Amino acid sequence: MARTSDRHNNRSRSCPEFTSLNQRGRRALLQAGALSGLGLGNLGLSDLWNAANAGERKSDLTTSSGRKAAKACIFLFMWGGPSQLDTFDLKPGASDDIRGPFQPVSTNVPGIQICEHFQRLTKHVDKLAIIRSLSHSDPAHLSSGHATVTGQPAPVLNSDATPPSNRDSPHIGSLVSKVRPNADGLPSFVTLPWKAFHPAAPGGEAPGQHGGWLGKTHDGLLLTGDPNAAAWKPSTLSLPADITVDRLQSRYELLKILNRQRSTLESSGSASHSMADAQSHKSRAFDLLTSSKVRDAFDLSKEPGQIRDRYGRNTHGQSVLMARRLVEHGVPLVTVTWHNDGKNFWDTHGNNFNRLKDDLIPPADMALSTLLEDLEERGMLEETLVVWVGEFGRKPQITANNSGREHWPYCYSGLLAGGGINGGMTYGSSDSQGAYPNSNPVTPMDFGTTIVDALGIPAGGVLNDREGRPHPITSGKIIETVFG
């Protein structure tokens, strides 16, 4: 049977990183240095590290209720807004203009049914907490996308015209980068195969996918392109053709000498500190480019062909496999944003049912099911939180003239698995039409706060922005019931 509850918890607790931040006030953030001094141009590596907080990766963090925190999170962002009525909250008793042609089918958990086209996932519902009462009031892709990946309201609500800015809240991955930085050359936060962008939205790229008020240091690493392409490789981590490792080493040593000479001529202490920060960053960038461990982590070709086939030989499947590979090598947060397929992704204003049945659900079903299997087989599921969610749902009433569904933020579904999640359950419920929550409504802020807590980051914590001003990092409640 599906289990529901009203219990929420938003207790905060002490954490050394947050205590020191509050005591010291404004931190000197690592300056966003380019690699042009090495002759490499902008390789997108300028914002991976926080020099002030760099140290050993925390593996003993706990959640607010004392559970062992997840070591990593794979965030599958279903950009465009999947229809709740055609995925995880079907309404077979509703009228013809609402229910659609898809049928609910039984799963390996008695009492929980999902869409018939998630054929593989029916065998893994015992690993899932299905949230059926996600709800907010923002029908715009961009601003609601911000809320989805940050767990905070966008600076400008109800807007598809407001692009990213330094007023945005940090992506959850950027919080991880700040509080749980890697010290072994690997980034703390990676996004692939692109950032959420809507070609029909005046603002273009969705806000909230970067460091925001934490600064560009915590933007994370973006891997673009199609990992399923035979010639694909992470260009961000590749040297230009005319730059060998030896040549890079030579330029780097020369740059260090020039920086030391310039430092002795600088009379301003702040300038010296700034130069030291930039030099520290370039040192880390150099380590990343030349590290065999990093090259191995990002080398998808090392995955056996059978594993690659299981995830699906398509853009999404291979992106999810890369996410698993990166987490296995020590990257604590990887976001896979549903790719641009030239048909507006999950934004199914028209031809909703054929798009879902033929193009969207099959690769999503294959990748998510295989990810859960693979993590479990490797003993990683309990320490890896898996998130599957879009920025909103779809309107219950089917658009008669084109078989589409319009934007609908008032009720939609999301999934959580692994990382201490109590699988085989539903949380919350919707009304008879899937239009509004009937019990236990969950906001994107609650959803994001729950993720932050599961990663061992104090949900009641405060971090300072680049100007030393304090910001609460969450504004929702922890959904305690979804944890075992």
Side-chain angles (χ1 to χ4, degrees), residues 171-360:
H171 189 288
I172 293 172
S174 298
L175 294 179
V176 172
S177 171
K178 178 72 173 179
V179 178
R180 295 173 53 176
N182 262 335
D184 54 4
L186 286 163
S188 294
F189 168 32
V190 175
T191 295
L192 75 158
W194 72 324
K195 285 187 177 181
F197 180 95
H198 203 299
E205 182 182 318
Q209 301 181 85
H210 60 121
W213 49 255
L214 273 181
K216 292 181 66 61
T217 300
H218 302 287
D219 278 0
L221 178 65
L222 176 64
L223 299 181
T224 58
D226 182 0
N228 189 48
W232 181 86
K233 61 180 180 179
S235 58
T236 304
L237 304 179
S238 302
L239 291 171
D242 62 336
I243 301 291
T244 65
V245 172
D246 288 342
R247 188 179 179 190
L248 175 64
Q249 175 73 55
S250 175
R251 291 190 179 192
Y252 178 62
E253 294 300 328
L254 176 60
L255 182 64
K256 287 197 293 186
I257 293 172
L258 293 174
N259 280 340
R260 284 197 297 268
Q261 291 174 344
R262 187 186 305 171
S263 179
T264 61
L265 298 176
E266 293 285 353
S267 58
S268 167
S270 61
S272 296
H273 286 309
S274 176
M275 186 176 298
D277 286 344
Q279 177 62 25
S280 176
H281 163 71
K282 289 171 183 175
S283 174
R284 291 176 181 273
F286 174 80
D287 291 341
L288 180 67
L289 285 167
T290 59
S291 166
S292 60
K293 179 178 180 179
V294 172
R295 289 198 301 273
D296 181 70
F298 285 87
D299 189 354
L300 195 59
S301 69
K302 291 192 174 183
E303 291 291 335
Q306 184 180 13
I307 292 292
R308 298 193 69 171
D309 290 343
R310 283 175 59 190
Y311 275 88
R313 293 283 188 161
N314 53 69
T315 303
H316 182 66
Q318 297 305 295
S319 295
V320 174
L321 173 55
M322 175 61 88
R324 191 274 291 154
R325 183 174 180 82
L326 292 176
V327 164
E328 189 175 29
H329 280 76
V331 177
L333 195 140
V334 183
T335 294
V336 176
T337 303
W338 191 272
H339 53 285
N340 182 7
D341 61 358
K343 300 176 183 178
N344 286 345
F345 13 102
W346 290 84
D347 193 23
T348 52
H349 290 279
N351 200 24
N352 173 74
F353 304 104
N354 288 329
R355 285 280 288 136
L356 291 174
K357 177 173 64 71
D358 299 333
D359 304 324
L360 295 166

Side-chain angles (χ1 to χ4, degrees), residues 32 52 74 112 181 231 317 365 451 474 484:
I74 296 175
I112 298 182
D365 179 38
I451 296 169
T474 61

Side-chain angles (χ1 to χ4, degrees), residues 111-124:
I112 298 182
Q113 295 182 318
I114 62 175
C115 173
E116 61 182 321
H117 298 298
F118 279 96
Q119 298 174 5
R120 292 176 173 84
L121 197 60
T122 58
K123 302 178 180 66
H124 300 284

